[in-house]
Amino acid sequence: MAVHLRFLSLTVTTAEAESTYRFDKPATVITGPIGTGKSSLLMLLKHVVGGTAMLTPAVRENVLSVQAEIAVGTERIVVKRAIDGDTTDRVDLLDPNTLTQRSSLPTRTTPGENTVSDHLLDALGFPREQVAARRDGVSRPQNLTFNDLYAYVYMQAREIDRQVVGHLDSYFDPKRKELFRLMFALTNSTLMELKRDASALADELKSKTSEHKSVDAFLLASDPRSDDELRAELTELRHTLQRAESTLSALRFELSEQSAADTALREELQYAIQIARRAEEEVVAARELVDARQAVVAQVQLDVSRLNRSATAIDQLAPFQFVLCPRCMQSLTGRHTAEDHCVVCLQPDPVGADIDPAAIEETRAVLHQQLEDAQHIEQSDIAHLQAAHQQAQQASFVVASLRRELDTQSRDVVAPRFDAIADASSRVATLKASIDAVTQLRESWARVRAIEAKIREIKRTRRQINKDIKDMSEQLAARQATVIAELSTEFGNLLRSWNLPWVNTAVINSDSYLPMVNGQPLESQQASGGGIATSINVAYSLTLLAFGLDHPDVLVPSLLIIDSPRKAFGNNESDRERATQIYSRFRTLADAYGERLQLIIADNDPPPISSDSFGKVEFTYENPMVPGVHHPGPDHVVRLEDGPDS
């Protein structure tokens, strides 16, 4: 049974007035001249339930809000939406009795909030699902929304002779097909989830395959060796590293032992250096003492010599009375000299004790004794200096010998080991670097193996999912064949009853779920005229609607809104007859199903037939759809290319 969806009324509010349009009959025909607002009314029905509608300037500039009372499933819902401003992207949910606001629902997905689409789908009892769609070659699951379902409900004038339920929109087409399957129970949540998983796995497989190629190309460019070759080389490098590290450890052990042996020699050398330093210090001290003794001896010798000269001078010169200066030979006779002073040097004459020979001799004896003592001590100091010097030379020799021994030992034993240790350390470092390089290459190979394992796992999972999809699809295939066959029969009978020219066969395609006339899609029929394409499209939607009303397990909405069902029809007798047949079908459905369905039809001319099941909304230039706004009349009406009028 079709899911119940019915507009009960639509209230249009402007700053000046408010009009309510009711849809009480099974079918409501909206008529009036061009530009009076027929298509705009249908667009406002779409707008008020959260859809994206083409609103004319007259609506955008004058209408403040629209409010609709809708029967959705078993609920009566009142919704209200602004035309312009910050609240345009939200729909207010009102209390059906008091018309007070219950909540405000976003029209687009908003984190943490149910959308108006969610609310309407839940009220309809229509499943909320995601479609396994792709965009730009990438899996991008798309939510099925009430607005998507509305595409099966609303046949716009601009599309009625061009496409079927938006099938030319490549972005929407996957949704269209999945909605068809959902409505006619040709799929279920499990199958849809499997398809989403299969689409996601296709992306993951593509990504992993690309990653595998990239890593493989890197390995080929960086090193041509295979993983087996690298593994063998890594094993050999590790064995070589073990041997090199053992050699290095042995050299370091030998060096440590040799260092222990050198310690005693170094300590002995250090002690010898200390002895030599003290010996040098002793030599310096002895030399300074000898120098001092020699100065004393020289002084005593000088005193003795002075005493000897004085005694000689006294002995030899005392008897003489100098009349001439002994130096310059000038006369001293005319020189005035004090009493008891020397006429030569003018100094006082010495007392008698100073020139006493005995005293002089005694002084000479003392000085000779001092000289002898000083010379004796000097010899003793010289001997000490020589001994200290000899001891310093011996200490220096010991130091030099120990240094030569240590140098020889370092040169012949330690230095070679240091060189060997340096070589061994370099070898170990080189081996470790080689091991790191090979390990990194092996890690890349491990990554390749992991990617390959993941690819195998993805393919295995994908095969299972595809098998599950195939098995489940085969289980539904019988139903699909039955449903498509019944739809095709009804569709073909309906078109044939309208006596369309050149129509021989008419079926519903089992893959695209679109109408096929004479084996061709709708766009191929457009060459025969827009009226034929419109008739095919209307017949298709009426067929889906009638099937849904007749089958309890079908979720086709019970509402169908048709804008301009006679678009591109002529005014000849056959066209008028065809229009009458289409409206006869509307009447048949309205009479047969009554309140179970709703047809809302916008047409320029009144229906060619009458029926008690038909309600009427009529617009004129004096009374257009937008209330309280003066209409300029037919002279100012511009026919829009896409069909909607103001």
Side-chain angles (χ1 to χ4, degrees):
M1 182 177 182
V3 292
H4 191 54
L5 178 62
R6 182 181 184 87
F7 283 101
L8 304 177
S9 67
L10 180 73
T11 299
V12 180
T13 302
T14 68
E16 303 295 332
E18 184 174 271
S19 293
T20 297
Y21 305 103
R22 299 200 60 82
F23 311 98
D24 297 323
K25 297 286 188 176
T28 300
V29 181
I30 305 168
T31 62
I34 293 173
T36 54
K38 303 181 298 297
S39 294
S40 291
L41 179 64
L42 302 186
M43 283 290 178
L44 288 176
L45 291 175
K46 181 179 181 181
H47 177 79
V48 78
V49 293
T52 302
M54 296 177 57
L55 303 179
T56 61
V59 171
R60 290 196 304 270
E61 293 169 6
N62 296 284
V63 178
L64 301 178
S65 65
V66 285
Q67 178 179 305
E69 183 180 2
I70 315 169
V72 185
T74 60
E75 295 185 37
R76 187 167 67 94
I77 295 175
V78 178
V79 290
K80 182 178 181 180
R81 187 179 182 188
I83 296 298
D84 196 10
D86 297 337
T87 59
T88 305
D89 59 350
R90 302 188 76 87
V91 174
D92 294 334
L93 185 64
L94 308 183
D95 185 280
N97 300 315
T98 65
L99 298 184
T100 56
Q101 181 177 323
R102 284 181 174 176
S103 59
S104 179
L105 305 175
T107 58
R108 295 190 178 99
T109 301
T110 304
E113 288 189 272
N114 271 347
T115 64
V116 63
S117 169
D118 297 332
H119 186 83
L120 292 172
L121 289 177
D122 290 343
L124 280 175
F126 201 90
R128 282 198 261 164
E129 295 287 353
Q130 282 189 322
V131 179
R134 304 187 71 79
R135 196 169 188 181
D136 299 328
V138 179
S139 174
R140 299 185 187 278
Q142 301 173 13
N143 292 325
L144 290 178
T145 66
F146 180 81
N147 199 33
D148 297 329
L149 183 63
Y150 203 79
Y152 273 97
V153 169
Y154 181 23
M155 300 180 69
Q156 298 184 46
R158 66 191 297 267
E159 304 293 348
I160 198 168
D161 61 345
R162 178 174 172 267
Q163 59 178 333
V164 181
V165 195
H167 80 284
L168 297 179
D169 183 348
S170 59
Y171 176 74
F172 176 71
D173 201 48
K175 289 185 173 184
R176 177 193 65 80
K177 293 179 182 178
E178 211 62 61
L179 280 167
F180 187 97
R181 296 186 188 101
L182 277 171
M183 288 191 300
F184 292 95
L186 305 182
T187 188
N188 52 47
S189 296
T190 302
L191 181 57
M192 294 180 72
E193 183 178 1
L194 287 172
K195 288 181 178 179
R196 291 195 299 270
D197 291 344
S199 180
L201 284 172
D203 284 347
E204 189 175 5
L205 179 60
K206 181 180 178 181
S207 174
K208 289 298 179 183
T209 301
S210 176
E211 184 181 2
H212 183 275
K213 289 181 179 179
S214 297
V215 178
D216 210 23
F218 164 75
L219 286 171
L220 184 62
S222 59
D223 199 304
R225 290 171 293 180
S226 67
D227 189 35
D228 290 337
E229 292 173 332
L230 290 171
R231 182 171 56 253
E233 181 172 344
L234 184 60
T235 301
E236 179 60 29
L237 284 171
R238 284 172 175 164
H239 290 329
T240 305
L241 177 61
Q242 288 178 350
R243 293 193 295 270
E245 288 178 336
S246 297
T247 300
L248 179 60
S249 297
L251 287 170
R252 285 174 173 166
F253 179 74
E254 291 177 4
L255 182 61
S256 65
E257 286 188 333
Q258 186 60 47
S259 296
D262 289 346
T263 301
L265 184 59
R266 292 182 185 277
E267 290 177 352
E268 185 178 356
L269 174 60
Q270 189 66 29
Y271 180 73
I273 291 173
Q274 294 175 357
I275 296 297
R277 186 179 298 114
R278 287 197 294 268
E280 288 293 337
E281 292 173 353
E282 185 67 24
V283 168
V284 171
R287 182 173 291 111
E288 291 176 352
L289 185 57
V290 167
D291 290 342
R293 298 301 183 193
Q294 288 178 343
V296 170
V297 170
Q299 183 62 45
V300 174
Q301 288 177 337
L302 182 61
D303 290 343
V304 171
S305 177
R306 185 181 300 112
L307 181 62
N308 290 334
R309 287 196 304 272
S310 296
T312 301
I314 290 171
D315 290 340
Q316 293 179 358
L317 298 177
F320 296 100
Q321 288 294 324
F322 285 90
V323 293
L324 293 174
C325 177
R327 178 178 178 276
C328 62
M329 299 305 290
Q330 293 185 65
S331 174
L332 298 175
T333 56
R335 192 176 190 186
H336 297 286
T337 305
E339 187 74 22
D340 299 328
H341 281 68
C342 177
V343 296
V344 176
C345 67
L346 302 180
Q347 296 185 77
D349 288 332
V351 298
D354 291 336
I355 59 176
D356 183 16
I360 292 174
E361 188 61 34
E362 182 180 354
T363 299
R364 182 183 290 112
V366 171
L367 289 174
H368 278 294
Q369 184 61 46
Q370 288 178 353
L371 178 60
E372 183 178 350
D373 292 341
Q375 288 176 339
H376 178 72
I377 294 172
E378 179 187 12
Q379 293 301 319
S380 176
D381 289 341
I382 290 173
H384 177 68
L385 173 60
Q386 291 174 347
H389 184 66
Q390 185 177 6
Q391 185 177 0
Q393 287 180 332
Q394 290 176 351
S396 297
F397 177 77
V398 171
V399 169
S401 298
L402 289 173
R403 280 179 173 162
R404 282 195 300 273
E405 183 178 354
L406 185 59
D407 290 344
T408 300
Q409 191 164 297
S410 298
R411 183 182 64 253
D412 297 339
V413 179
V414 177
R417 282 181 172 80
F418 273 122
D419 293 340
I421 288 173
D423 292 341
S425 297
S426 176
R427 175 65 171 160
V428 167
T430 301
L431 288 169
K432 286 182 177 179
S434 298
I435 288 173
D436 288 343
V438 174
T439 300
Q440 288 179 0
L441 288 172
R442 290 215 65 210
E443 287 174 355
S444 296
W445 278 107
R447 182 181 172 193
V448 168
R449 290 194 299 273
I451 295 172
E452 290 172 346
K454 186 62 177 178
I455 289 174
R456 289 193 297 271
E457 179 186 349
I458 293 172
K459 288 182 176 179
R460 182 170 58 253
T461 305
R462 190 183 182 197
R463 283 194 299 271
Q464 183 60 49
I465 288 178
N466 287 336
K467 181 179 181 301
D468 293 342
I469 291 174
K470 181 180 178 182
D471 292 345
M472 194 167 292
S473 298
E474 288 176 352
Q475 293 173 10
L476 295 169
R479 173 176 174 80
Q480 173 163 314
T482 301
V483 168
I484 296 300
E486 291 186 24
L487 287 171
S488 295
T489 299
E490 179 64 23
F491 176 63
N493 291 338
L494 183 57
L495 279 185
R496 281 187 288 273
S497 70
W498 291 351
N499 296 319
L500 293 177
W502 305 299
V503 174
N504 297 318
T505 61
V507 298
I508 306 299
N509 185 273
S510 59
D511 293 324
S512 66
Y513 310 120
L514 293 173
M516 301 285 288
V517 176
N518 298 333
Q520 299 297 321
L522 177 71
E523 48 266 37
S524 298
Q525 307 302 323
Q526 291 172 335
S528 301
I532 291 180
T534 299
S535 300
I536 292 172
N537 207 352
V538 171
Y540 174 78
S541 292
L542 291 174
T543 299
L544 300 188
L545 175 62
F547 189 95
L549 293 167
D550 289 337
H551 293 78
D553 56 348
V554 170
L555 298 177
V556 177
S558 61
L559 169 66
L560 184 60
I561 301 172
I562 307 174
D563 191 355
S564 304
R566 288 183 280 184
K567 182 181 180 181
F569 277 31
N571 199 31
N572 57 53
E573 184 178 349
S574 61
D575 285 337
R576 290 195 299 272
E577 176 61 25
R578 189 171 301 111
T580 300
Q581 291 169 346
I582 290 175
Y583 270 90
S584 294
R585 182 60 177 173
F586 294 158
R587 182 178 61 187
T588 299
L589 290 173
D591 291 344
Y593 297 105
E595 298 297 324
R596 291 175 55 197
L597 68 68
Q598 183 178 40
L599 296 173
I600 300 177
I601 305 151
D603 209 344
N604 289 334
D605 298 321
I609 61 174
S610 61
S611 171
D612 292 339
S613 299
F614 285 5
K616 184 178 181 181
V617 175
E618 186 174 3
F619 297 129
T620 64
Y621 292 125
E622 293 75 22
N623 184 32
M625 187 272 297
V626 180
V629 177
H630 174 69
H631 196 288
D635 294 338
H636 294 83
V637 173
V638 178
R639 178 70 177 177
L640 299 180
E641 181 180 347
D642 57 14
D645 51 17
S646 62

